Amino acid sequence: MLFFKPKKAPVKGAVVLITGAGSGIGRLMALGAARRGAKAVVVWDLNGEAAEQTAAEISEMALGEAGSGRQIRASAYTVDVTNEDAVVAAAREVLDEYGRVDILINNAGIVTGKPFLETTGAEVQRSFEVNTISHYRMVRQFLPGMIARDRGSVVTIASAAGLVGVPRQSDYNGSKFGAVGFAQSLRQELRHMGSRVHTLLYCPYYISTGMFEGVKTKFPLVLPILTPEQVARQVLDAIEKGTQFKVHPPIVRLVQILQAFPVPFMDAIVEFFGVADTMDDFTGRK
Ligand SMILES: NC(=O)c1ccc[n+]([C@@H]2O[C@H](COP(=O)([O-])OP(=O)(O)OC[C@H]3O[C@@H](n4cnc5c(N)ncnc54)[C@H](O)[C@@H]3O)[C@@H](O)[C@H]2O)c1
């Protein structure tokens, strides 16, 4: 079939697993999923305390709604998504407890923000491990169940940095381009095999979570620094609508068109929009 659409993945009644949900947009997506009626929200983070905190907020929400008849379960797992054994063991626990994962959101991410020559080999390795390789590892755990049920959703939180190169992001850019490539291949492969499992590739511009503290934007009206609340809502809306690729703000998609032009032209446009300067005052999370 030429125009093939995957099945929509309603959040209501779903078991939702989010990596890196101890803070930032991961935490807000977890709370949002609970608010939208998820059956269970599984919070994974390297920072166990932060994961517990998010799960506790969801449980409090459930208590606040006592009598509404709605049941939301939340559980927190301390997992380093770069650790194969830890991921496999935690995934088994989740499947034992809930029987399935309907929506998997690969959200955990890190940034160094250093000029290329100051970035160590170990840092490059870690960026790729967290921002790219972990997606392969996570999807391997939960996709077989989704394919068997012919429903579910795999969400890749990539970045506008997965579409265009920026100074001081050699490791981040490379790893996010990798995540974009993985998500595109996965989408094509599922379609090719006739599976109606949904995938969403989400590429946002900078978000004010603290991860990119210090970044600046030249034209805030066209290239605004996004709020985490707006981004979390957008991702959940996109999952529910069955959207497969979303870039925000939409003007960032221009970079894909610019790729077709000679490099000096493309680079001049990127420079004009101030994208090459965005990282000049980057400090990141302290
Ligand atoms: N903040 C931005 O400007 C921005 C822009 C585009 C895309 N993104 C992407 O959005 C996602 C979320 O970013 P955020 O802004 O909410 O950042 P954040 O730092 O608030 O959240 C990232 C979370 O990932 C967790 N994490 C890091 N390494 C991990 C590991 N090895 N195992 C498990 N968890 C780990 C952290 O503990 C943290 O809770 C990331 O993938 C990021 O690359 C962020």
Side-chain angles (χ1 to χ4, degrees):
M1 202 196 309
L2 209 52
F3 293 103
F4 181 85
K5 289 273 285 178
K7 276 187 197 142
K8 288 186 185 167
V11 173
K12 193 174 162 63
V15 178
V16 182
L17 190 158
I18 308 174
T19 65
S23 72
I25 62 168
R27 171 181 161 270
L28 292 177
M29 290 188 291
L31 297 175
R35 242 177 254 118
R36 289 178 194 221
K39 177 182 169 205
V41 181
V42 185
V43 176
W44 281 21
D45 206 288
L46 179 64
N47 180 339
E49 237 173 75
E52 294 284 353
Q53 179 63 36
T54 304
E57 283 182 71
I58 294 171
S59 302
E60 272 165 36
M61 194 189 289
L63 278 179
E65 290 187 5
S68 70
R70 220 158 67 79
Q71 295 207 327
I72 320 163
R73 291 169 71 192
S75 42
Y77 289 76
T78 309
V79 190
D80 179 347
V81 292
T82 71
N83 181 327
E84 176 79 18
D85 293 345
V87 166
V88 170
R92 198 170 301 131
E93 268 186 59
V94 170
L95 291 175
D96 283 350
E97 182 164 0
Y98 297 107
R100 65 181 203 270
V101 165
D102 301 301
I103 300 175
L104 166 65
I105 307 185
N106 282 314
N107 165 75
I110 54 167
V111 64
T112 57
K114 292 184 181 175
F116 167 62
L117 287 177
E118 290 172 25
T119 315
T120 65
E123 285 170 333
V124 173
Q125 193 100 26
R126 182 86 186 157
S127 293
F128 276 82
E129 271 289 342
V130 179
N131 298 345
T132 321
I133 307 292
S134 75
H135 294 207
Y136 291 78
R137 187 173 288 127
M138 292 298 299
V139 173
R140 212 175 285 127
Q141 311 307 314
F142 302 108
L143 185 63
M146 292 185 195
I147 290 175
R149 292 185 295 279
D150 202 26
R151 62 186 311 125
S153 180
V154 175
V155 180
T156 302
I157 303 297
S159 170
L163 306 172
V164 63
V166 177
R168 291 178 64 168
Q169 290 192 11
S170 59
D171 55 331
Y172 189 72
N173 274 151
S175 64
K176 290 295 184 180
F177 269 71
V180 167
F182 171 59
Q184 292 197 357
S185 172
L186 185 66
R187 185 184 73 226
Q188 293 288 356
E189 195 169 307
L190 286 167
R191 180 184 197 278
H192 193 61
M193 62 194 257
S195 165
R196 298 191 66 201
V197 171
H198 168 257
T199 62
L200 165 66
L201 167 59
Y202 185 70
C203 296
Y205 193 57
Y206 296 116
I207 315 162
S208 57
T209 56
M211 181 183 187
F212 276 88
E213 196 61 46
V215 295
K216 55 186 183 214
T217 185
K218 187 173 169 190
F219 298 118
L221 277 183
V222 277
L223 278 176
I225 307 275
L226 309 171
T227 67
E229 289 76 13
Q230 168 187 22
V231 168
R233 195 177 337 108
Q234 242 180 32
V235 175
L236 295 173
D237 285 349
I239 296 170
E240 298 203 297
K241 282 187 199 146
T243 305
Q244 292 167 282
F245 180 38
K246 185 154 185 79
V247 179
H248 197 73
I251 195 172
V252 173
R253 272 193 100 156
L254 250 187
V255 296
Q256 294 185 302
I257 296 166
L258 286 172
Q259 306 277 4
F261 288 86
V263 168
F265 178 74
M266 167 161 177
D267 287 357
I269 300 288
V270 169
E271 180 85 48
F272 171 77
F273 278 102
V275 176
D277 305 324
T278 52
M279 294 288 287
D280 288 356
D281 302 322
F282 168 90
T283 53
R285 214 182 266 298
K286 288 286 167 230

